Amino acid sequence: MNRVVHPIEEESYRRLRARLDTSHFPPLTRAVVERVIHSAADLEYATDLVMDEGELERAHAALHAGAPVVVDVEMVAAGITRRETVCRLRDAVAGPGLTRSAHAIRLAYEQVGPGALWVIGNAPTALEELLTLDASPALVIGLPVGFVGAVESKAALRESGLPAVSNVSEKGGSAVASAALNALLYHPVSSEETS
């Protein structure tokens, strides 16, 4: 993906790297860590985020091969500007024991099936619902924010064994979730991935 980087973004990354050495991270991990920090101006994400480089490599390949991207809310979709996304929140309804966000995840899974990249930045119940499905995701970016259910849902994601990007604190949100996906989207595709 050819992308023109604005001088303000370049300067932001320069300042970030002056304050935090990210050179020890593998390439895709570094890309995700730096873009998340850039989106939130929060250096603590360097030690709060949890991910595996091999999983990121496979997700990166799937993303660039055209795997669907599903988001939990329109705010996450708004942050992913160079890729179409699926968000079914407008079609969802809450019911007994089911939030709108959880129902939206069910609807999205019915639409896209297995192999998608899931980007959840708002609703812990959306992440919890995804974990009940046999979604076989390429990656789950599970970064919901909040004091109720966020930490627990992210811990459950890590325990599930699914390929994931998560964090251990209550922090998260739409901006950081979309930033994590954008890091993979903007990272160059290697010749090995295209052959």
Side-chain angles (χ1 to χ4, degrees):
M1 164 177 286
N2 291 332
R3 181 176 167 262
V4 177
V5 179
H6 192 279
I8 292 172
E9 182 178 336
E10 287 180 355
E11 177 62 14
S12 179
Y13 270 78
R14 188 196 66 74
R15 291 183 187 191
L16 182 162
R17 291 172 181 150
R19 293 176 61 183
L20 178 70
D21 180 11
T22 60
S23 64
H24 63 284
F25 289 118
L28 287 169
T29 300
R30 181 180 186 187
V32 171
V33 167
E34 287 183 346
R35 188 145 298 275
V36 166
I37 289 171
H38 173 260
S39 74
D42 186 344
L43 298 173
E44 291 180 5
Y45 275 110
T47 56
D48 191 40
L49 288 165
V50 179
M51 66 197 96
D52 174 81
E53 185 72 7
E55 292 175 352
L56 293 179
E57 289 170 358
R58 289 183 291 280
H60 182 260
L63 178 64
H64 288 276
V69 176
V70 180
V71 300
D72 64 333
V73 293
E74 293 292 340
M75 286 295 291
V76 174
I80 302 169
T81 57
R82 295 182 181 251
R83 184 66 184 269
E84 291 296 317
T85 61
V86 172
C87 181
R88 297 296 303 273
L89 191 60
R90 290 181 187 204
D91 304 318
V93 293
L98 186 70
T99 65
R100 272 185 70 220
S101 295
H103 186 230
I105 294 300
R106 286 185 190 177
L107 294 173
Y109 178 65
E110 289 171 7
Q111 180 178 338
V112 303
L117 286 89
W118 296 79
V119 188
I120 298 174
N122 185 64
T125 58
L127 183 52
E128 291 165 1
E129 184 63 26
L130 178 59
L131 296 177
T132 69
L133 302 174
D134 187 21
S136 300
L139 185 70
V140 178
I141 296 174
L143 296 169
V145 63
F147 294 114
V148 178
V151 168
E152 296 83 358
S153 67
K154 291 180 276 194
L157 172 59
R158 289 189 298 278
E159 291 165 11
S160 74
L162 294 175
V165 173
S166 68
N167 68 313
V168 296
S169 72
E170 293 94 351
K171 294 189 293 190
S174 298
V176 298
S178 60
L181 188 280
N182 286 337
L184 298 177
L185 195 57
Y186 300 159
H187 198 274
V189 177
S190 71
S191 57
E192 294 169 0
E193 288 177 288
T194 56
S195 57

